[in-house]
Amino acid sequence: MGYYTNSYVLMFNEIDKTMLPQVGGKGANLGELSKIKEINVPEGFCITTKSYKKTIDKIPELPNLIEQLSHIKVDDRERISKISGQIRSIIEKAKIDDDIANDITSSLTKLGVNDAYAVRSSATAEDLPTASFAGQQDTFLNTIGREAIFKNIKKCWASLFTDRAVTYRIQNGFDHNKVLLSVVIQKMVFPEASGIMFTADPITSDRKVVSIDASFGLGEALVSGLVNADSYKVNNGKIESKKVSAKKLGIYPLKGGGTEENKIELNLQNKEALTDDQILQLEKIGRKIGAYFGKPQDIEWCLYENKFYIVQSRPITTLYPLPDVKDGKNHVYMSFGHQQMMTDAMKPLGISFFQFAEALLVPIGGRLYMDVTHDLASSSGRAMVGLAMGKVDPLMDKAIKKLMKRKDYIKTLPKGKKFLSMGSGYFSWALIAQTIKTYRKNDPSIVKHVIAKNEENVKDVQQKISKLSGDELLAFIKNEYANLNKTLYDAESMGTVWAGAILGSTMLNRKIKKWLGQKDIVDSLTQSVDNNITGEMGLDLLDVSDVVRKYPDVMKYLEHAKDETFFTELVKLKGGDEVSNSIKAYLEKYGMRCSGEIDITRPRWNEEPTAIVPLILSNIKNFEPGAHEVIFKKGLSEFEAKKKDILDRLAKLPGGKNKVKKAEKAISIVRNYIGYREYPKYAMVSIYWVLKQAMMKEAVKLEENGVIKDKNDIFYLSFEELQEAARTQKLDYDIITKRKEEFKSYEKLTPPRIILSDGEIISGEYDNEKMPKGALAGIPASRGTIEGRARVVLKLEDATMEEGDILVTTFTDPSWTPVFVSIKGLVAEVGGAATHGSVVAREYGLPAVVGVDNATKLIKDGQRIRVNGTDGYVEILS
């Protein structure tokens, strides 16, 4: 089997997984299910996509209507609904050709023309390993008689154009013309109980646990959310937990066809839908099906006369991929992306760069994870992990502590080289000594010295790399990146960061809390500090905006400017030269930045200058000219006022003179050094830009020689594969095609903070007693409370803000800083008190709550919200 078929109808036993283009995902899976021994699948057949195509190709109005759909944006619901409705109406009235109708009738005769059938849609982009379109098209249960079946077949075809299906395709980039529909005709089973079984726990991703939901009657009640089902968790033949729900409603067949909702008898409502024996029998069936398909499955089942029937099985697309474990032992992986404020999927080239510098960084699901197995196997290592993660991501810290309570599991962890050990590059005695030395010196010239040293290093790399090409160039890039951490994160540089951001801040907070009872005073004293390259980036863009605002023609042009012709078209306009020079000067200093900048493959502002256009236009809309100086002076004034208030209050205490002297020194240390905290990452991405430019020249050569189709194809290779392709001028292009598909699937996944080697996800939970009922818990990142309109922004280029808006996003890295000048508060899904968004929010005086799980899904764009940055929660007000 597996060949392309010209048939209009195929029986289940004629179908296998290679026939998805003809029978869709549901049909292909049913064909495979019917081949598994001892698995009961109700008989049936599929009306192939050829039948659908032949029918709609004879409808002259359709091509134009479908073409109109392809140009509609996802938020234009009214037009989607109108055009989709027209398409459905036309398809439902279409005539099915005689040759198709005859094949359908013949198949029905084989099975029983007067029997009851489920008529179900099966799209070619449904129930796939990388995307689930489940529920996007329609199903018609208990269909009796040839006429009713034919009517529902056309309704299924038409349901390819329901509003939800069209919207889903637009969101996921599927061409409306390329998604075809098969129709499954399957004999009905009228069960006593039915439900869904996941062969891996869909919440924890634990592959050892089978999760079963069960209720009385047809499974449609459960799938549609009509009823609370019983929930059973089974682990290797042992029922771990049961939750029995009150099952008040069920869906039952009508005698003449169709279904109806009925109240379940009172004495059955709280009865378990399945016996223990049946639960364990179902687990065995699930394991058998999972083993056959080779991956965890989402299975629809029903129970009739004590026999289980399987009516569908599809891959669970939301499970995070398993780590690739080499030694067969238990391992614990901690998200590197949450630590770096970048949880997006990374392309293979970006991942392989990081692995040069750290072998214990492991790619899982397109993200990097730290293998902290050996750290957690020892008490000193556990303390180091807690120290590292406490302020960076408290939810990760809570997840680790939760795992630590599983002492039997911790005992199984093998010992070996630690990720965060003293001397590993992240911690060292030299760093501690340098931090204390820098703290005691309290000399602002140290910051200028380490900045100059970094700038000299970037120039040195530029000079060396300009003379290289081919093998020599790529070898240099690999070596330079492998040594990057040693260069940028040496003891002198990181000692400066620690002296201000860690030791200085901790000491100042501790003193003021002890003397005045005031918590986290540093938050109020770090506005408008010197040498903060990231803070300056937002303010400097205000100066660019002031140049742009003088020229209306330029402002109009920027609204539709293209990256390829950005400057060449700009200089043709009145004021274009001045604006061009201003933007180029800004990019000279900051153009190596971008959202998700730790991934070297991400396009930099130098490559896509239109990325900063929304920020410029927002600045013009929200600020008066000269806002840079106004904002900086305001921050400085607020700092001075706060400092005076603290010192005046201290002076009135016993021993006040001495306390004032100590406080002044502590404030001085923090302000002298804390601005440098953002610089090492800036230096890192400056080196990235130099390396990337050189690497892209090699990519252009590969493209010119026909080795790759596009220069950006190199992003889907590991660095070693790139080196080999450049050396041999040969490449199996299927590698790139496969990796692009993998990357698309990874992009849709939400990376866990902690994942175990068997795929189980460990999550941390907040315990916030001060939080009002219904509020969303998070981490207090910057003090204060603010109310305003939520602007849910997932991509920086979509960040068009208005005065008073509160930014709600997944994460913020330094590239987001220019947005901060326009907002009044921040809510982020990722982060802790010491991460980028929190630091910048404090500097700009913005209330902020970070680490709010699923904030971008739970908060809707435009809702009014209240952000409490002091206690760490968000309230949805409207």
Side-chain angles (χ1 to χ4, degrees):
M1 202 64 68
Y3 52 84
Y4 180 80
T5 176
N6 284 316
S7 301
Y8 293 121
V9 172
L10 288 169
M11 305 303 288
F12 286 170
N13 61 8
E14 297 178 292
I15 296 168
D16 67 19
K17 62 187 176 184
T18 66
M19 303 181 76
L20 187 141
Q22 289 84 52
V23 297
K26 194 174 281 141
N29 289 345
L30 280 166
E32 290 291 337
L33 275 170
S34 65
K35 292 174 172 51
I36 308 175
K37 288 181 181 177
E38 298 174 11
I39 299 294
N40 301 311
V41 179
E43 291 180 296
F45 59 90
C46 290
I47 301 162
T48 64
T49 54
K50 185 185 176 189
S51 307
Y52 165 78
K53 192 88 169 63
K54 185 174 183 181
T55 304
I56 66 162
D57 281 351
K58 291 191 174 183
I59 305 173
E61 310 99 303
L62 274 189
N64 179 47
L65 288 169
I66 294 173
E67 174 65 19
Q68 287 181 53
L69 274 186
S70 66
H71 298 293
I72 299 177
K73 291 190 175 177
V74 73
D75 55 358
D76 194 347
R77 296 188 187 119
E78 195 173 321
R79 282 196 70 211
I80 288 172
S81 182
K82 182 182 176 184
I83 297 171
S84 298
Q86 287 177 280
I87 294 172
R88 289 197 304 276
S89 177
I90 290 168
I91 293 174
E92 284 178 25
K93 292 172 186 171
K95 181 183 182 300
I96 297 178
D97 278 8
D98 289 343
D99 49 353
I100 299 173
N102 290 337
D103 280 2
I104 295 170
T105 303
S106 174
S107 297
L108 283 171
T109 303
K110 286 179 192 174
L111 299 179
V113 107
N114 295 316
D115 288 347
Y117 292 89
V119 181
R120 310 167 78 189
S121 306
S122 178
T124 53
E126 182 177 43
D127 295 347
L128 307 181
T130 57
S132 177
F133 278 58
Q136 299 303 321
Q137 283 80 47
D138 286 344
T139 288
F140 301 94
L141 300 177
N142 195 29
T143 305
I144 300 171
R146 183 182 179 281
E147 188 177 327
I149 288 172
F150 274 69
K151 183 179 179 182
N152 286 342
I153 288 167
K154 289 192 285 184
K155 281 187 175 181
C156 282
W157 286 342
S159 74
L160 196 57
F161 292 93
T162 59
D163 294 4
R164 66 184 183 274
V166 168
T167 302
Y168 192 87
R169 287 199 294 274
I170 293 170
Q171 285 172 328
N172 289 275
F174 281 84
D175 187 333
H176 300 297
N177 285 302
K178 289 184 179 174
V179 180
L180 304 177
L181 199 91
S182 166
V183 179
V184 174
I185 310 292
Q186 187 173 27
K187 274 198 172 183
M188 281 293 297
V189 174
F190 299 113
E192 295 99 38
S194 58
I196 297 167
M197 167 170 51
F198 296 95
T199 63
D201 191 311
I203 306 301
T204 66
S205 290
D206 190 342
R207 269 79 167 175
K208 300 184 296 296
V209 173
V210 167
S211 177
I212 299 168
D213 287 352
S215 188
F216 297 120
L218 289 165
E220 201 68 14
L222 195 155
V223 173
S224 61
L226 185 67
V227 66
N228 289 325
D230 291 350
S231 177
Y232 313 119
K233 306 279 185 186
V234 192
N235 189 335
N236 292 320
K238 181 184 176 185
I239 300 171
E240 288 192 334
S241 68
K242 289 181 184 181
K243 179 190 168 191
V244 181
S245 299
K247 300 169 283 295
K248 295 180 181 179
L249 290 172
I251 293 180
Y252 295 93
L254 289 166
K255 191 173 181 182
T259 59
E260 66 175 355
E261 290 175 22
N262 270 337
K263 284 186 179 179
I264 292 172
E265 292 174 35
L266 200 60
N267 64 322
L268 288 177
Q269 287 184 7
N270 291 297
K271 183 184 175 184
E272 287 185 38
L274 297 176
T275 66
D276 286 5
D277 284 346
Q278 288 168 340
I279 292 167
L280 296 177
Q281 186 186 346
L282 197 52
E283 184 214 14
K284 287 180 183 175
I285 291 169
R287 290 294 181 209
K288 190 165 192 174
I289 293 171
Y292 180 85
F293 284 105
K295 57 189 64 171
Q297 296 289 298
D298 166 1
I299 298 165
E300 294 176 32
W301 58 268
C302 51
L303 178 69
Y304 176 66
E305 294 185 347
N306 206 32
K307 186 186 283 189
F308 283 106
Y309 291 85
I310 304 301
V311 295
Q312 186 50 255
S313 183
R314 61 177 70 87
I316 307 174
T317 58
T318 54
L319 283 183
Y320 207 74
L322 283 169
D324 182 13
V325 182
K326 307 291 186 189
D327 61 6
K329 296 178 181 177
N330 287 335
H331 283 253
V332 181
Y333 302 96
M334 186 165 72
S335 170
F336 182 70
H338 282 80
Q339 187 191 52
Q340 290 292 321
M341 297 302 97
M342 211 295 270
T343 55
D344 288 351
M346 294 174 69
K347 296 187 180 76
L349 188 64
I351 284 174
S352 68
F353 263 77
F354 269 94
Q355 291 180 295
F356 295 156
E358 182 51 74
L360 290 173
L361 279 174
V362 179
I364 312 173
R367 278 85 175 175
L368 282 165
Y369 279 78
M370 300 175 274
D371 187 344
V372 293
T373 306
H374 306 317
D375 303 72
L376 299 181
S378 75
S379 55
S380 62
R382 290 193 285 274
M384 196 71 82
V385 171
L387 178 68
M389 296 316 303
K391 284 201 170 184
V392 173
D393 193 294
L395 273 182
M396 195 178 295
D397 187 44
K398 287 176 184 294
I400 288 288
K401 285 173 179 167
K402 185 177 176 181
L403 181 63
M404 290 302 101
K405 292 176 182 176
R406 288 163 57 171
K407 298 192 186 301
D408 288 345
Y409 182 83
I410 297 301
K411 285 177 186 175
T412 68
L413 298 179
K415 294 188 176 180
K417 183 186 174 187
K418 297 185 182 79
F419 191 93
L420 296 171
S421 61
M422 191 66 75
S424 64
Y426 296 91
F427 301 102
S428 68
W429 294 115
L431 172 56
I432 292 171
Q434 184 65 44
T435 299
I436 295 168
K437 180 181 175 183
T438 303
Y439 178 88
R440 286 175 175 166
K441 270 193 170 184
N442 189 22
D443 181 1
S445 69
I446 291 173
V447 176
K448 290 185 171 23
H449 166 68
V450 286
I451 287 175
K453 194 166 77 168
N454 277 312
E455 287 175 345
E456 192 59 40
N457 181 51
V458 174
K459 286 178 187 172
D460 183 52
V461 173
Q462 280 176 319
Q463 189 177 10
K464 287 176 180 174
I465 211 166
S466 65
K467 300 169 184 175
L468 302 173
S469 63
D471 283 348
E472 279 189 321
L473 170 65
L474 293 174
F476 176 83
I477 289 172
K478 182 174 181 177
N479 185 64
E480 185 61 37
Y481 193 93
N483 293 316
L484 194 57
N485 280 358
K486 293 177 187 174
T487 308
L488 298 178
Y489 298 100
D490 67 3
E492 187 176 30
S493 175
M494 291 313 293
T496 307
V497 173
W498 279 36
I502 296 177
L503 182 58
S505 296
T506 301
M507 297 296 282
L508 179 56
N509 276 335
R510 192 175 292 164
K511 283 182 170 73
I512 300 304
K513 186 181 178 185
K514 180 184 175 184
W515 294 333
L516 297 175
Q518 191 169 338
K519 285 174 63 181
D520 301 323
I521 195 64
V522 168
D523 293 2
S524 310
L525 296 171
T526 51
Q527 290 176 258
S528 300
V529 293
D530 291 332
N531 301 310
N532 186 334
I533 191 72
T534 306
E536 290 166 7
M537 180 168 64
L539 298 177
D540 286 349
L541 195 62
L542 289 168
D543 294 336
V544 175
S545 305
D546 283 348
V547 176
V548 173
R549 78 169 77 234
K550 296 189 290 185
Y551 304 106
D553 287 350
V554 170
M555 288 171 60
K556 194 173 179 182
Y557 162 75
L558 289 179
E559 290 176 0
H560 57 81
K562 292 182 171 58
D563 292 310
E564 302 79 22
T565 56
F566 189 86
F567 290 108
T568 54
E569 294 298 316
L570 177 58
V571 294
K572 296 175 183 177
L573 303 171
K574 182 182 178 182
D577 278 331
E578 187 183 356
V579 171
S580 180
N581 290 337
S582 177
I583 293 176
K584 282 181 177 178
Y586 183 83
L587 294 177
E588 180 67 28
K589 189 172 183 181
Y590 304 111
M592 75 294 290
R593 309 217 84 148
C594 68
S595 181
E597 61 192 13
I598 66 166
D599 181 355
I600 201 168
T601 71
R602 297 280 278 251
R604 312 283 138 175
W605 292 345
N606 278 325
E607 296 169 287
E608 293 185 355
T610 56
I612 63 171
V613 166
L615 309 177
I616 292 170
L617 297 178
S618 286
N619 286 344
I620 294 169
K621 186 177 181 180
N622 296 327
F623 296 98
E624 295 296 320
H628 179 155
E629 189 176 358
V630 171
I631 291 171
F632 189 82
K633 283 184 175 178
K634 179 174 178 283
L636 208 54
S637 173
E638 288 175 1
F639 154 68
E640 294 289 358
K642 191 67 183 177
K643 178 183 173 184
K644 183 177 184 304
D645 173 61
I646 289 166
L647 298 181
D648 286 349
R649 286 158 62 199
L650 288 174
K652 295 172 184 174
L653 298 176
K657 190 175 180 182
N658 189 40
K659 287 182 173 69
V660 166
K661 187 178 178 182
K662 287 181 177 178
E664 280 187 311
K665 183 180 180 184
I667 291 169
S668 171
I669 289 169
V670 169
R671 287 190 66 85
N672 279 340
Y673 295 138
I674 205 164
Y676 181 72
R677 179 196 179 282
E678 295 289 309
Y679 198 88
K681 197 167 193 179
Y682 171 80
M684 180 183 82
V685 294
S686 296
I687 296 285
Y688 271 24
W689 177 232
V690 176
L691 301 183
K692 185 178 184 182
Q693 284 175 285
M695 198 161 51
M696 294 314 291
K697 288 178 183 175
E698 293 301 308
V700 169
K701 290 179 189 174
L702 289 172
E703 183 185 3
E704 288 172 348
N705 292 338
V707 180
I708 54 178
K709 295 175 184 177
D710 181 271
K711 63 182 181 181
N712 292 334
D713 283 344
I714 68 165
F715 299 154
Y716 297 93
L717 299 173
S718 70
F719 192 82
E720 288 76 10
E721 288 168 341
L722 172 60
Q723 280 184 300
E724 182 67 11
R727 188 180 63 80
T728 63
Q729 293 295 299
K730 291 178 182 176
L731 177 70
D732 178 1
Y733 198 79
D734 285 345
I735 293 172
I736 289 172
T737 303
K738 182 187 171 192
R739 300 255 176 90
K740 284 181 177 179
E741 286 301 313
E742 283 178 347
F743 181 74
K744 279 183 187 175
S745 68
Y746 292 154
E747 280 186 301
K748 295 171 186 172
L749 298 173
T750 301
R753 287 172 164 83
I754 302 292
I755 186 168
L756 308 185
S757 45
D758 62 7
E760 184 183 356
I761 289 167
I762 309 295
S763 302
E765 291 87 27
Y766 292 116
D767 181 20
N768 195 333
E769 294 176 2
K770 296 180 182 178
M771 200 173 74
K773 189 178 179 182
L776 308 178
I779 299 297
S782 181
R783 298 177 69 82
T785 301
I786 192 76
E787 288 184 19
R789 182 183 71 158
R791 284 289 286 116
V792 180
V793 182
L794 302 180
K795 294 180 181 176
L796 180 61
E797 54 268 32
D798 297 331
T800 305
M801 314 301 293
E802 292 185 10
E803 194 171 0
D805 282 351
I806 296 170
L807 174 63
V808 180
T809 189
T810 46
F811 63 83
T812 64
D813 60 10
S815 68
W816 286 77
T817 304
V819 180
F820 281 47
V821 298
S822 297
I823 60 175
K824 290 294 181 281
L826 169 69
V827 179
E829 292 181 349
V830 177
T835 47
H836 166 264
S838 307
V839 171
V840 178
R842 291 195 290 270
E843 181 176 339
Y844 284 176
L846 307 173
V849 180
V850 299
V852 182
D853 258 0
N854 294 312
T856 58
K857 296 181 181 74
L858 298 171
I859 300 170
K860 306 301 179 191
D861 189 56
Q863 282 183 322
R864 190 162 185 81
I865 62 173
R866 181 186 295 129
V867 177
N868 187 321
T870 305
D871 294 321
Y873 61 82
V874 182
E875 295 174 272
I876 299 173
L877 305 177
S878 65

